[in-house]
Amino acid sequence: MNVQRTPVAPPDFEAALLSLRGHRMRPELRLEEIPPPTRIAPYALALTGEVNPSDDPEEMLGSGRFVVLYDPEGQEAWNGEFRVIVMARATLEDEFAGDPMLGEVGWSWLTDALAAQQAGYHSLSGTVTRVLSETFGGLELRSGEVEIEIRASWTPDSTDLAPHLRSWALMTCQAAGLPPIPDNVSPLKPKR
């Protein structure tokens, strides 16, 4: 991942950007830097990620976004100078459509990932949305779809944002249905 530096950025924002460099993610998760939001904070970084075991767009399992906002003067709603904003979206199996625990399970993917990566934070808030799409008429050949979307934001406790990036990556891959990989274990790539 190539995180670009903003000229004359404050030292804390520079430190945060540097902490995001050089991390190895799962091979199924492909990251790309995108233009960040410009009106929310004076400094920002945005990454998008796609969970796909191959290069075929039809095999995409999920996607997400990781945004870092920085205001050197702080913002009252954030209770700090930084804010991390994440989103993960994935299509689920049809049997999850009516599961009353789906929202809590989706939220636990986030909180468990933050705990597993020892990401220090406060002021966590967010939503888990379930979307059930049913098709009719000329689209009857296509079956219904169940989609989950997890949106959250929090204030990190330090400028080291690496644990927060890894937490988002873990949550996004879990939402997409990939099994967790223990630390210090590399996933095997399937033979083609």
Side-chain angles (χ1 to χ4, degrees):
M1 170 176 57
N2 183 16
V3 177
Q4 296 179 357
R5 291 179 158 203
T6 305
V8 285
D12 282 350
F13 188 64
E14 284 287 326
L17 292 181
L18 288 172
S19 74
L20 296 174
R21 287 186 174 188
H23 298 281
R24 289 181 50 189
M25 302 293 171
R26 291 181 73 137
E28 301 94 342
L29 179 62
R30 294 175 178 87
L31 299 180
E32 181 180 331
E33 189 171 352
I34 59 173
T38 56
R39 297 183 208 181
I40 304 171
Y43 301 93
L45 168 82
L47 302 172
T48 188
E50 289 187 353
V51 181
N52 191 331
S54 74
D55 291 329
D56 182 357
E58 294 294 319
E59 292 186 32
M60 188 168 79
L61 302 173
S63 63
R65 190 167 293 134
F66 180 87
V67 177
V68 177
L69 303 175
Y70 177 67
D71 186 340
E73 296 186 20
Q75 292 198 15
E76 188 177 330
W78 302 351
N79 294 316
E81 298 172 348
F82 281 93
R83 194 71 176 169
V84 173
I85 302 170
V86 299
M87 185 273 295
R89 179 182 300 138
T91 302
L92 301 176
E93 301 293 325
D94 291 344
E95 63 261 16
F96 291 110
D99 187 339
M101 298 296 291
L102 183 60
E104 290 180 39
V105 169
W107 192 251
S108 74
W109 291 335
L110 171 63
T111 57
D112 290 352
L114 287 165
Q117 298 301 318
Q118 299 176 351
Y121 66 92
H122 61 277
S123 304
L124 173 65
S125 63
T127 62
V128 177
T129 305
R130 163 194 350 222
V131 177
L132 172 60
S133 300
E134 297 179 85
T135 58
F136 300 94
L139 297 174
E140 286 184 30
L141 294 176
R142 187 174 159 208
S143 65
E145 289 184 345
V146 179
E147 192 173 79
I148 188 169
E149 183 177 273
I150 304 160
R151 291 181 177 267
S153 67
W154 61 86
T155 301
D157 289 345
S158 77
T159 60
D160 181 7
L161 300 182
H164 304 273
L165 177 65
R166 290 191 306 265
S167 297
W168 166 76
L170 177 58
M171 175 197 64
T172 302
C173 290
Q174 277 189 295
L178 297 181
I181 296 176
D183 290 340
N184 301 320
V185 174
S186 296
L188 297 175
K189 292 185 179 181
K191 291 183 181 181
R192 299 220 178 234

